[in-house]
Amino acid sequence: MKIFKTIALGGITKEALLDQLTKQGIQFNAYAKTLFSDPEFSVNEKAESVNLVKVNSLELGLTKPSYYKDIVASAKVKGLKLCPLSLAAFLRLECLDQAEGPYLHIASAKPKQDEEYPNGFYLRNLEGVLWLRGYRASDDYEWPVDSEFVFRTDVQDA
């Protein structure tokens, strides 16, 4: 799978990260603010380089709308890994030129097993405004085959 981006993850405080996002005019919804304040949203003091892959369900071999757990399982078979919650904020800063169009979901583990709690983040450009948004989806939600997800990978382009 082709590397979508290689980004630096960590190396600053959560407060400094939020400040950088705000200075770039990034907008947040209430779910994003909830996730940002969650203890699972942590930032390492030391920066690490992370390779990211952008895929949809079809590229993972799923030919019909699928549950998130099936998307993650198919990605794992291809050597892809879930992302930490904080990766979404770092990627948002790396994708300031994101075109309008589909959401870019960051594949991560849901921080709490609570239907009312946000699952994770997605990036979006809506009418020229860049967003870092949190979302909620039930376990039985079927993701359309063209939904785009970002996963981590340790493998270089194959």
Side-chain angles (χ1 to χ4, degrees), residues 90-150:
F90 287 94
L91 183 58
R92 174 74 283 170
L93 289 170
E94 291 288 328
C95 293
L96 296 175
D97 60 349
Q98 180 184 14
E100 287 199 37
Y103 304 174
L104 187 55
H105 296 88
I106 310 309
S108 60
K110 186 172 180 175
K112 293 183 181 170
Q113 295 309 310
D114 175 350
E115 289 279 327
E116 301 301 313
Y117 202 79
N119 295 55
F121 288 104
Y122 67 88
L123 281 54
R124 185 166 189 206
N125 177 344
L126 179 62
E127 298 176 355
V129 178
L130 296 176
W131 287 86
L132 176 59
R133 296 181 60 92
Y135 71 92
R136 271 189 5 204
S138 64
D139 290 341
D140 63 352
Y141 175 74
E142 291 184 322
W143 292 84
V145 293
D146 61 347
S147 297
E148 292 185 318
F149 295 91
V150 171

Side-chain angles (χ1 to χ4, degrees), residues 1-8 49-56 59 80 83 87-99 102-107 122-124 148-158:
M1 307 213 124
K2 185 169 176 17
I3 300 296
F4 162 62
K5 282 201 180 286
T6 300
I7 67 169
S49 182
V50 179
N51 291 325
L52 305 175
V53 173
K54 178 173 63 169
V55 295
N56 61 37
E59 293 167 310
L80 304 179
C83 303
L87 186 137
F90 287 94
L91 183 58
R92 174 74 283 170
L93 289 170
E94 291 288 328
C95 293
L96 296 175
D97 60 349
Q98 180 184 14
Y103 304 174
L104 187 55
H105 296 88
I106 310 309
Y122 67 88
L123 281 54
R124 185 166 189 206
E148 292 185 318
F149 295 91
V150 171
F151 288 90
R152 291 179 64 158
T153 183
D154 295 330
V155 180
Q156 296 300 318
D157 290 351

Side-chain angles (χ1 to χ4, degrees), residues 78-90:
K78 299 211 179 265
L80 304 179
K81 300 176 182 178
L82 292 176
C83 303
L85 280 176
S86 63
L87 186 137
F90 287 94

